[in-house]
Amino acid sequence: MSIIEGKWLIADRDLNEREGLKWLLKSSSIPVTSILLSSDFQEFIVTFEKETPDIILLELDMVSRENWSSFRELMQIYQPILLLTSAEATFEKARMAIDLQALELMIKPFSATKVKSAYQKATKALEKKHNSKEKPIAQFRSDSTYESLFISESVGLEDYIIAALKVENSANVGMLYSFLSDYPFKELHGIFPLNDRVVLLFKETCQNSKEQCQKAMRKWEEEFSEPLAVVIRSNKSPHISLHEKFIETQKMLEFTYYHGYQQMVEFEYTTDWVHIDPFLAPPEQRTWVDMLANHDIDAIKTWLYDEFLQLDDHYPDPGLVRIRLTSILAQIRRFMKTYDLDEQQSCEKEYRDIFHSILYDSVLYRSVQNLILFIQRMFLAADSSEQMVKQDPIERGISFIESHFSNHELKLEDVAKYIDRNPSYLSHLLISKTGRSFTEILSGIRMKEAKRYLLETNKPVKEISHIVGYHNPNYFSRTFKEIIGITPREFRLRKR
C-alpha cells in the first residue's frame, strides 16, 4: 500500500490550540503535503472551498446553529476525513459528530497522545479511501459471476456461500469495500460492491464463513464507527441459482429495519412478510383521538411498543409499517391543529422532521422513539398555549365526528355538547368555515370509510353499511349512489 500525503486544515478559534495542533502534526511521522489554518468559521469556509483539504481538524464549537445546515451539506458533498474537537462533553456534541460521520471527537483539554492517535487514525482512513478509489470495481470477481447475481440463469454453477454486509450510511460503502478487500479471508471467490452493501461469495468448500465474517465485523468496529449488518446464507442449495440466493439475501438484509445494525444473522431460508393494514382502523383512530386528547403519553408508549417493537418473528413489509406510522402522524396532525400548534414554526419544523424520520430512518425503533419524543413535546406545547381558549371548535367537532361516525345515532347535538357550543351556532360555524353542513360532513366521512371497506375487504354491503353507521342497508346504498355516482356493488366491481 502506497504512502498517501494528505492536505490538512486545522480550524480552531484559540491561537495556542491551533498552533499546538499544527506543531504536533509537523513533529509526527505522518506524511503531509501542507497544513492550512483557520481562526473562525468564515475563514474556514473560504480556505476549504479554495484548497479542498483531505483531512480536517475542526473545533466543533465554532459552527453556529445558523451555519450548521450549510456546513453539514458541505461535508456531505466533499466527504473529507473529519476530526472534531470541543470544550463541551455533551450528548449534543456527540450527536453532531455522529451526524457528520466524524472519525474522532476529542474533548478539551486533550493530551498529545490522544491527538497523535487521532492523527494516525485519520491517515489510515485516508489511505483506505485513496486505495478504494484506485482499485478495480471488484478485485476478485469474474464478470460472469457478477452478472449471475442479477440475472436468472440455469442451475449448475458452484454452490457458493453468500454473505452481504451493509453499512447504514451508503456514502461509506467504498470504505467498507476497501476494508474487505484488504481483509485476509480464506476460500473467498469474490467481493462485489453495490450501492449500500458489499457481497462476499465463499467457495462451497469453506467451513467457517460465519466465523470469518464475525471476525471481520469485529475488526471493522474497532477501526470505524459506522454501523454494520451482516447476513449469511450458508445452507447448501445446489438446485437454486446464484441470483435466487442473492435475492433471498437482499430480503434478509431488510430485517435490519427491525433488528438494527452491529449484528450478524445466519439463515437457511427466508420468511414471508405478514400482512398488516397500513392504515388505522376506525376503532384505532378513536383510541388515538382519546389518548391524544387526554395527553396520555404512557398509553401511547404502550400502544407503540406493543404494535411495533414486540413483533417476534412475524414481521410485516417495512413499507407498510412506514405507512402505518404516517397514519398515526395524521392523527397527531389533527391534534396539532386543535391547539394551533401547526401555526408555530418550531412545531411545524419538528413535524416535518418526524415525517422524514418515519420515511427514511433505517431502523424502526429509532422512528418509534423519535415519534414518542415528538408527541411529548407537542403535549408540552399544547399545555403552554392556553389550549382551552385557543382551541378551534370546528377542528374539535370534526375530530369528534371522525372518531364517532360509526354511531348510528350520532347527531349534531352530540357534537355541540362535546365542544360546549349551541347546536344552531355550531351548524352556522360548520357551514361558514367548511362550506358543508353537519350531515354532509358526516356522510362524507362515512362514504370514505365505506369505499375503503369495499376495496380492501370482502365484507357484504349490508355489513359495511352497519360498520360505517347506517341502520338501513338500502338507505346506505341510495346515499352512496347519490354521493359517489354508482352503487356500492358497482364501485367494488369497477375498482377490481
Side-chain angles (χ1 to χ4, degrees), residues 56-84:
I56 292 174
L57 175 55
L58 173 85
E59 180 193 5
L60 192 55
D61 307 329
M62 73 162 51
V63 185
S64 66
R65 292 184 181 273
E66 292 74 20
N67 294 324
W68 172 254
S69 179
S70 59
F71 170 70
R72 182 175 180 271
E73 183 177 354
L74 195 65
M75 295 300 101
Q76 289 177 336
I77 293 173
Y78 288 94
Q79 296 184 2
I81 306 300
L82 194 58
L83 302 174
L84 300 175

mmCIF file of all heavy atoms in Angstrom, residues 56-84:
data_model
loop_
_atom_site.group_PDB
_atom_site.id
_atom_site.type_symbol
_atom_site.label_atom_id
_atom_site.label_comp_id
_atom_site.label_asym_id
_atom_site.label_seq_id
_atom_site.Cartn_x
_atom_site.Cartn_y
_atom_site.Cartn_z
ATOM 1 N N ILE A 56 -9.612 17.252 7.889
ATOM 2 C CA ILE A 56 -9.977 18.466 8.615
ATOM 3 C C ILE A 56 -9.959 18.177 10.112
ATOM 4 O O ILE A 56 -10.516 17.170 10.564
ATOM 5 C CB ILE A 56 -11.372 18.956 8.202
ATOM 6 C CG1 ILE A 56 -11.358 19.449 6.760
ATOM 7 C CG2 ILE A 56 -11.866 20.051 9.130
ATOM 8 C CD1 ILE A 56 -12.731 19.811 6.238
ATOM 9 N N LEU A 57 -9.305 19.055 10.873
ATOM 10 C CA LEU A 57 -9.370 19.025 12.329
ATOM 11 C C LEU A 57 -10.071 20.312 12.746
ATOM 12 O O LEU A 57 -9.500 21.409 12.657
ATOM 13 C CB LEU A 57 -7.966 18.942 12.929
ATOM 14 C CG LEU A 57 -7.863 19.029 14.453
ATOM 15 C CD1 LEU A 57 -8.722 17.976 15.123
ATOM 16 C CD2 LEU A 57 -6.414 18.887 14.902
ATOM 17 N N LEU A 58 -11.312 20.208 13.192
ATOM 18 C CA LEU A 58 -12.165 21.371 13.390
ATOM 19 C C LEU A 58 -12.680 21.461 14.826
ATOM 20 O O LEU A 58 -13.115 20.448 15.398
ATOM 21 C CB LEU A 58 -13.361 21.292 12.434
ATOM 22 C CG LEU A 58 -14.447 22.344 12.614
ATOM 23 C CD1 LEU A 58 -14.076 23.617 11.860
ATOM 24 C CD2 LEU A 58 -15.799 21.835 12.126
ATOM 25 N N GLU A 59 -12.656 22.664 15.383
ATOM 26 C CA GLU A 59 -13.314 22.927 16.656
ATOM 27 C C GLU A 59 -14.819 23.029 16.385
ATOM 28 O O GLU A 59 -15.281 23.987 15.754
ATOM 29 C CB GLU A 59 -12.798 24.222 17.275
ATOM 30 C CG GLU A 59 -13.450 24.542 18.609
ATOM 31 C CD GLU A 59 -13.182 25.966 19.064
ATOM 32 O OE1 GLU A 59 -12.575 26.747 18.306
ATOM 33 O OE2 GLU A 59 -13.601 26.288 20.190
ATOM 34 N N LEU A 60 -15.568 22.060 16.835
ATOM 35 C CA LEU A 60 -16.996 21.984 16.539
ATOM 36 C C LEU A 60 -17.764 23.179 17.088
ATOM 37 O O LEU A 60 -18.780 23.596 16.511
ATOM 38 C CB LEU A 60 -17.562 20.680 17.113
ATOM 39 C CG LEU A 60 -18.970 20.256 16.687
ATOM 40 C CD1 LEU A 60 -19.093 20.169 15.173
ATOM 41 C CD2 LEU A 60 -19.320 18.919 17.324
ATOM 42 N N ASP A 61 -17.267 23.770 18.170
ATOM 43 C CA ASP A 61 -17.968 24.877 18.807
ATOM 44 C C ASP A 61 -17.989 26.141 17.950
ATOM 45 O O ASP A 61 -18.773 27.061 18.212
ATOM 46 C CB ASP A 61 -17.316 25.196 20.164
ATOM 47 C CG ASP A 61 -17.201 23.964 21.043
ATOM 48 O OD1 ASP A 61 -18.065 23.086 20.915
ATOM 49 O OD2 ASP A 61 -16.249 23.876 21.829
ATOM 50 N N MET A 62 -17.152 26.219 16.924
ATOM 51 C CA MET A 62 -17.141 27.416 16.085
ATOM 52 C C MET A 62 -18.269 27.413 15.045
ATOM 53 O O MET A 62 -18.521 28.430 14.400
ATOM 54 C CB MET A 62 -15.790 27.589 15.373
ATOM 55 C CG MET A 62 -15.537 26.620 14.250
ATOM 56 S SD MET A 62 -14.206 27.154 13.114
ATOM 57 C CE MET A 62 -12.860 27.530 14.207
ATOM 58 N N VAL A 63 -18.958 26.287 14.899
ATOM 59 C CA VAL A 63 -20.063 26.191 13.935
ATOM 60 C C VAL A 63 -21.355 26.558 14.660
ATOM 61 O O VAL A 63 -21.829 25.822 15.527
ATOM 62 C CB VAL A 63 -20.177 24.782 13.336
ATOM 63 C CG1 VAL A 63 -21.251 24.753 12.254
ATOM 64 C CG2 VAL A 63 -18.837 24.335 12.768
ATOM 65 N N SER A 64 -21.930 27.681 14.323
ATOM 66 C CA SER A 64 -23.160 28.131 14.971
ATOM 67 C C SER A 64 -24.363 27.363 14.441
ATOM 68 O O SER A 64 -24.283 26.686 13.417
ATOM 69 C CB SER A 64 -23.377 29.630 14.719
ATOM 70 O OG SER A 64 -23.606 29.872 13.339
ATOM 71 N N ARG A 65 -25.480 27.481 15.140
ATOM 72 C CA ARG A 65 -26.704 26.814 14.699
ATOM 73 C C ARG A 65 -27.128 27.303 13.317
ATOM 74 O O ARG A 65 -27.637 26.533 12.509
ATOM 75 C CB ARG A 65 -27.836 27.067 15.707
ATOM 76 C CG ARG A 65 -27.631 26.390 17.049
ATOM 77 C CD ARG A 65 -28.833 26.597 17.956
ATOM 78 N NE ARG A 65 -28.639 25.965 19.260
ATOM 79 C CZ ARG A 65 -28.931 24.700 19.518
ATOM 80 N NH1 ARG A 65 -29.439 23.945 18.564
ATOM 81 N NH2 ARG A 65 -28.740 24.196 20.727
ATOM 82 N N GLU A 66 -26.926 28.595 13.063
ATOM 83 C CA GLU A 66 -27.320 29.155 11.768
ATOM 84 C C GLU A 66 -26.486 28.579 10.629
ATOM 85 O O GLU A 66 -26.958 28.447 9.494
ATOM 86 C CB GLU A 66 -27.174 30.679 11.782
ATOM 87 C CG GLU A 66 -28.150 31.406 12.699
ATOM 88 C CD GLU A 66 -27.778 31.256 14.173
ATOM 89 O OE1 GLU A 66 -26.595 30.934 14.463
ATOM 90 O OE2 GLU A 66 -28.665 31.444 15.031
ATOM 91 N N ASN A 67 -25.234 28.219 10.925
ATOM 92 C CA ASN A 67 -24.340 27.704 9.879
ATOM 93 C C ASN A 67 -24.310 26.182 9.803
ATOM 94 O O ASN A 67 -23.657 25.622 8.920
ATOM 95 C CB ASN A 67 -22.909 28.209 10.127
ATOM 96 C CG ASN A 67 -22.789 29.702 9.971
ATOM 97 O OD1 ASN A 67 -23.446 30.298 9.107
ATOM 98 N ND2 ASN A 67 -21.971 30.335 10.802
ATOM 99 N N TRP A 68 -24.996 25.526 10.753
ATOM 100 C CA TRP A 68 -24.877 24.064 10.839
ATOM 101 C C TRP A 68 -25.339 23.369 9.564
ATOM 102 O O TRP A 68 -24.654 22.486 9.039
ATOM 103 C CB TRP A 68 -25.666 23.540 12.035
ATOM 104 C CG TRP A 68 -25.739 22.040 12.068
ATOM 105 C CD1 TRP A 68 -26.808 21.252 11.773
ATOM 106 C CD2 TRP A 68 -24.670 21.149 12.377
ATOM 107 N NE1 TRP A 68 -26.482 19.921 11.887
ATOM 108 C CE2 TRP A 68 -25.169 19.838 12.262
ATOM 109 C CE3 TRP A 68 -23.340 21.338 12.748
ATOM 110 C CZ2 TRP A 68 -24.386 18.724 12.486
ATOM 111 C CZ3 TRP A 68 -22.560 20.210 12.983
ATOM 112 C CH2 TRP A 68 -23.080 18.935 12.859
ATOM 113 N N SER A 69 -26.482 23.758 9.030
ATOM 114 C CA SER A 69 -27.038 23.075 7.870
ATOM 115 C C SER A 69 -26.111 23.170 6.659
ATOM 116 O O SER A 69 -25.843 22.172 5.981
ATOM 117 C CB SER A 69 -28.416 23.654 7.534
ATOM 118 O OG SER A 69 -28.963 23.016 6.405
ATOM 119 N N SER A 70 -25.602 24.380 6.372
ATOM 120 C CA SER A 70 -24.712 24.552 5.217
ATOM 121 C C SER A 70 -23.387 23.828 5.436
ATOM 122 O O SER A 70 -22.816 23.250 4.501
ATOM 123 C CB SER A 70 -24.466 26.038 4.960
ATOM 124 O OG SER A 70 -23.888 26.660 6.085
ATOM 125 N N PHE A 71 -22.880 23.842 6.683
ATOM 126 C CA PHE A 71 -21.637 23.133 6.992
ATOM 127 C C PHE A 71 -21.811 21.629 6.785
ATOM 128 O O PHE A 71 -20.963 20.972 6.168
ATOM 129 C CB PHE A 71 -21.237 23.433 8.431
ATOM 130 C CG PHE A 71 -20.096 22.582 8.938
ATOM 131 C CD1 PHE A 71 -18.819 22.748 8.452
ATOM 132 C CD2 PHE A 71 -20.317 21.611 9.904
ATOM 133 C CE1 PHE A 71 -17.757 21.971 8.919
ATOM 134 C CE2 PHE A 71 -19.285 20.829 10.375
ATOM 135 C CZ PHE A 71 -17.998 21.008 9.882
ATOM 136 N N ARG A 72 -22.896 21.089 7.298
ATOM 137 C CA ARG A 72 -23.156 19.652 7.163
ATOM 138 C C ARG A 72 -23.274 19.259 5.695
ATOM 139 O O ARG A 72 -22.737 18.234 5.265
ATOM 140 C CB ARG A 72 -24.451 19.296 7.907
ATOM 141 C CG ARG A 72 -24.828 17.830 7.892
ATOM 142 C CD ARG A 72 -26.066 17.617 8.762
ATOM 143 N NE ARG A 72 -26.466 16.235 8.792
ATOM 144 C CZ ARG A 72 -27.309 15.690 7.903
ATOM 145 N NH1 ARG A 72 -27.809 16.441 6.936
ATOM 146 N NH2 ARG A 72 -27.642 14.415 7.994
ATOM 147 N N GLU A 73 -23.969 20.079 4.923
ATOM 148 C CA GLU A 73 -24.129 19.791 3.492
ATOM 149 C C GLU A 73 -22.782 19.814 2.781
ATOM 150 O O GLU A 73 -22.502 18.967 1.924
ATOM 151 C CB GLU A 73 -25.073 20.816 2.872
ATOM 152 C CG GLU A 73 -25.360 20.568 1.403
ATOM 153 C CD GLU A 73 -26.352 21.558 0.824
ATOM 154 O OE1 GLU A 73 -26.905 22.370 1.603
ATOM 155 O OE2 GLU A 73 -26.573 21.528 -0.394
ATOM 156 N N LEU A 74 -21.919 20.762 3.146
ATOM 157 C CA LEU A 74 -20.589 20.848 2.539
ATOM 158 C C LEU A 74 -19.770 19.604 2.849
ATOM 159 O O LEU A 74 -19.089 19.053 1.963
ATOM 160 C CB LEU A 74 -19.881 22.093 3.073
ATOM 161 C CG LEU A 74 -18.634 22.555 2.315
ATOM 162 C CD1 LEU A 74 -18.990 23.009 0.919
ATOM 163 C CD2 LEU A 74 -17.934 23.676 3.081
ATOM 164 N N MET A 75 -19.837 19.134 4.084
ATOM 165 C CA MET A 75 -19.099 17.929 4.462
ATOM 166 C C MET A 75 -19.624 16.697 3.720
ATOM 167 O O MET A 75 -18.854 15.811 3.330
ATOM 168 C CB MET A 75 -19.191 17.700 5.972
ATOM 169 C CG MET A 75 -18.520 18.788 6.812
ATOM 170 S SD MET A 75 -16.743 19.007 6.502
ATOM 171 C CE MET A 75 -16.767 20.469 5.431
ATOM 172 N N GLN A 76 -20.932 16.641 3.512
ATOM 173 C CA GLN A 76 -21.516 15.500 2.800
ATOM 174 C C GLN A 76 -21.114 15.488 1.334
ATOM 175 O O GLN A 76 -20.923 14.432 0.740
ATOM 176 C CB GLN A 76 -23.043 15.534 2.929
ATOM 177 C CG GLN A 76 -23.553 15.193 4.311
ATOM 178 C CD GLN A 76 -25.053 15.303 4.427
ATOM 179 O OE1 GLN A 76 -25.697 16.028 3.677
ATOM 180 N NE2 GLN A 76 -25.629 14.589 5.384
ATOM 181 N N ILE A 77 -20.977 16.664 0.752
ATOM 182 C CA ILE A 77 -20.617 16.743 -0.666
ATOM 183 C C ILE A 77 -19.164 16.331 -0.885
ATOM 184 O O ILE A 77 -18.848 15.523 -1.758
ATOM 185 C CB ILE A 77 -20.860 18.168 -1.196
ATOM 186 C CG1 ILE A 77 -22.363 18.478 -1.212
ATOM 187 C CG2 ILE A 77 -20.267 18.336 -2.591
ATOM 188 C CD1 ILE A 77 -22.699 19.905 -1.552
ATOM 189 N N TYR A 78 -18.251 16.886 -0.066
ATOM 190 C CA TYR A 78 -16.818 16.648 -0.295
ATOM 191 C C TYR A 78 -16.287 15.446 0.478
ATOM 192 O O TYR A 78 -15.259 14.873 0.102
ATOM 193 C CB TYR A 78 -16.028 17.902 0.085
ATOM 194 C CG TYR A 78 -16.214 19.027 -0.910
ATOM 195 C CD1 TYR A 78 -17.187 20.003 -0.707
ATOM 196 C CD2 TYR A 78 -15.429 19.121 -2.063
ATOM 197 C CE1 TYR A 78 -17.364 21.039 -1.618
ATOM 198 C CE2 TYR A 78 -15.595 20.143 -2.975
ATOM 199 C CZ TYR A 78 -16.575 21.106 -2.751
ATOM 200 O OH TYR A 78 -16.749 22.126 -3.652
ATOM 201 N N GLN A 79 -16.928 15.078 1.576
ATOM 202 C CA GLN A 79 -16.572 13.906 2.372
ATOM 203 C C GLN A 79 -15.089 13.842 2.748
ATOM 204 O O GLN A 79 -14.398 12.864 2.457
ATOM 205 C CB GLN A 79 -16.978 12.625 1.639
ATOM 206 C CG GLN A 79 -18.473 12.504 1.439
ATOM 207 C CD GLN A 79 -18.874 11.200 0.792
ATOM 208 O OE1 GLN A 79 -18.030 10.350 0.510
ATOM 209 N NE2 GLN A 79 -20.146 11.020 0.566
ATOM 210 N N PRO A 80 -14.560 14.885 3.390
ATOM 211 C CA PRO A 80 -13.177 14.802 3.877
ATOM 212 C C PRO A 80 -13.108 13.903 5.110
ATOM 213 O O PRO A 80 -14.126 13.600 5.730
ATOM 214 C CB PRO A 80 -12.864 16.258 4.253
ATOM 215 C CG PRO A 80 -14.193 16.804 4.675
ATOM 216 C CD PRO A 80 -15.210 16.152 3.775
ATOM 217 N N ILE A 81 -11.891 13.477 5.454
ATOM 218 C CA ILE A 81 -11.688 12.796 6.728
ATOM 219 C C ILE A 81 -11.840 13.858 7.809
ATOM 220 O O ILE A 81 -11.174 14.899 7.767
ATOM 221 C CB ILE A 81 -10.303 12.135 6.797
ATOM 222 C CG1 ILE A 81 -10.093 11.201 5.596
ATOM 223 C CG2 ILE A 81 -10.152 11.376 8.113
ATOM 224 C CD1 ILE A 81 -11.078 10.081 5.493
ATOM 225 N N LEU A 82 -12.700 13.598 8.811
ATOM 226 C CA LEU A 82 -13.081 14.656 9.740
ATOM 227 C C LEU A 82 -12.728 14.280 11.174
ATOM 228 O O LEU A 82 -13.191 13.266 11.696
ATOM 229 C CB LEU A 82 -14.582 14.925 9.612
ATOM 230 C CG LEU A 82 -15.148 16.195 10.249
ATOM 231 C CD1 LEU A 82 -14.458 17.432 9.686
ATOM 232 C CD2 LEU A 82 -16.650 16.274 9.993
ATOM 233 N N LEU A 83 -11.887 15.127 11.822
ATOM 234 C CA LEU A 83 -11.600 15.037 13.245
ATOM 235 C C LEU A 83 -12.194 16.267 13.910
ATOM 236 O O LEU A 83 -12.050 17.387 13.399
ATOM 237 C CB LEU A 83 -10.084 14.993 13.499
ATOM 238 C CG LEU A 83 -9.296 13.854 12.837
ATOM 239 C CD1 LEU A 83 -7.805 14.052 13.087
ATOM 240 C CD2 LEU A 83 -9.755 12.511 13.367
ATOM 241 N N LEU A 84 -12.856 16.098 15.051
ATOM 242 C CA LEU A 84 -13.527 17.202 15.711
ATOM 243 C C LEU A 84 -13.021 17.377 17.138
ATOM 244 O O LEU A 84 -12.643 16.395 17.797
ATOM 245 C CB LEU A 84 -15.037 16.973 15.733
ATOM 246 C CG LEU A 84 -15.730 16.844 14.373
ATOM 247 C CD1 LEU A 84 -17.196 16.488 14.560
ATOM 248 C CD2 LEU A 84 -15.594 18.120 13.562
#
